Amino acid sequence: MSISIDDQPAELLAMALLGDIATVNEGSGNVTDGAVTILPGGRWTQLPNKNLAAAGISAKLASDDSPITEANYEVNYALGLIRATAGGSLEAGADIKLTYQYNAVTGTKVKGGIKSQIRMNITGDMKNLATGKPGRLEIFEATVAPTDAVDFMASEFVSTTLSGNCKLVSGKDSPFEYTDITPSE
């Protein structure tokens, strides 16, 4: 049986991560002379914004406003991170002023790990393998949870196996119904 979630990958991911879906709508903007302290040991320093524009970024020392060349720092524009370049003149622990633009971000996010289980209705078109007839399965309410943790570093699409129980809902005399359908001629 195939379960369709209205072709919404975020819905499937929310189930796998036991989470809720939220809308992301972050505006764009500019930061001028934002204070940043460079972390030691080649570690990344998190900036207040993500999705930085690659053009127009500039840095200067906070102590005397002298410019810092781009060869002395590395930026992860998507994640909004900066660090000193190995062998560069920017010292770890240095206080700098950073000027940059960040771009708008829209989409959806899954706030994971906030549910212990998912309640769902499952309806599926099926084929009876013994008779070859089409069928329909309706599970009025199921309480399910993933059987394994999600591997965020997998090289394939996120997938999960759900396990749980069917429930008897008010107004029904069974937790689910399977109907063999006789095609009309």
Side-chain angles (χ1 to χ4, degrees), residues 84-104:
T85 303
S89 64
L90 187 58
E91 296 179 19
D95 290 324
I96 65 170
K97 294 178 184 177
L98 196 61
T99 298
Y100 60 90
Q101 176 186 343
Y102 55 95
N103 301 312

Side-chain angles (χ1 to χ4, degrees), residues 37-102:
T37 300
I38 300 299
L39 293 175
R43 295 187 325 213
W44 291 97
T45 301
Q46 180 68 62
L47 300 173
N49 309 98
K50 295 174 176 50
N51 198 25
L52 308 182
I57 193 164
S58 64
K60 55 187 173 183
L61 288 175
S63 59
D64 63 6
D65 285 344
S66 60
I68 303 168
T69 63
E70 290 183 34
N72 291 298
Y73 59 89
E74 181 181 358
V75 176
N76 181 316
Y77 297 96
L79 297 178
L81 302 170
I82 187 170
R83 69 178 171 185
T85 303
S89 64
L90 187 58
E91 296 179 19
D95 290 324
I96 65 170
K97 294 178 184 177
L98 196 61
T99 298
Y100 60 90
Q101 176 186 343
Y102 55 95

